Amino acid sequence: MKHKVEQLKWLYGAFTGACVTYFLALLSSNQPVSDSLLLFLATCLFAGLLPVFAGFTFAHAYLIEDQTPAKKIEAALGAERVRNLTKYALWTFFAAFALLVSHFSLIAGAIMLGGSWYIRDELKAFIGSLRDGT
């Protein structure tokens, strides 16, 4: 369990960094955010996600530093509230990134959505085969 928490700390740290990087890149842009609905929506989503992923990173770092017992960690991370928050944060990150890509090119955004849908189905089948043992 400790290895999983360590991995999640770095994963959420990367998501936090992606949100910060978005705003740093936005500062160098000459285009106001208000000129594009897609860019405005992406900015709002990244702004909301920054404290969420920073909080996730902090929580996982705390679990490691506090040396919280594995059973307590497993129970906390397995709680429905935590699973839902994580799921919604990841889907929101995907939506923010899709909006950002679509701001630059609607065709690229459509390709991203199509590729994402395809890999989603493939991953579901792959994970299902692992669970079934086939």
Side-chain angles (χ1 to χ4, degrees):
M1 178 55 68
K2 181 178 169 112
H3 184 67
K4 177 181 177 181
V5 173
E6 182 73 32
Q7 287 179 331
L8 289 173
K9 176 186 81 169
W10 288 106
L11 175 69
Y12 293 134
F15 279 117
T16 304
C19 292
V20 169
T21 302
Y22 172 81
F23 286 104
L24 292 174
L26 199 60
L27 290 174
S28 66
S29 172
N30 293 331
Q31 180 183 11
V33 172
S34 59
D35 285 356
S36 166
L37 177 62
L38 296 174
L39 188 60
F40 174 76
L41 293 173
T43 302
C44 289
L45 293 179
F46 278 117
L49 287 170
L50 180 58
V52 172
F53 284 127
F56 285 0
T57 305
F58 174 78
H60 284 79
Y62 175 81
L63 292 172
I64 292 166
E65 292 299 316
D66 188 48
Q67 297 181 355
T68 305
K71 286 186 179 191
K72 277 188 168 183
I73 293 173
E74 196 169 333
L77 295 180
E80 185 177 355
R81 180 177 169 192
V82 173
R83 285 193 334 264
N84 284 338
L85 180 59
T86 303
K87 179 175 61 175
Y88 292 132
L90 293 174
W91 276 110
T92 303
F93 185 85
F94 173 78
F97 207 82
L99 287 166
L100 178 61
V101 170
S102 297
H103 162 72
F104 292 107
S105 167
L106 290 176
I107 294 171
I111 291 170
M112 180 185 170
L113 292 175
S116 298
W117 193 265
Y118 173 76
I119 197 66
R120 175 185 168 269
D121 288 345
E122 290 297 319
L123 286 172
K124 281 175 97 174
F126 174 73
I127 292 170
S129 71
L130 290 176
R131 288 187 177 151
D132 297 341
T134 57

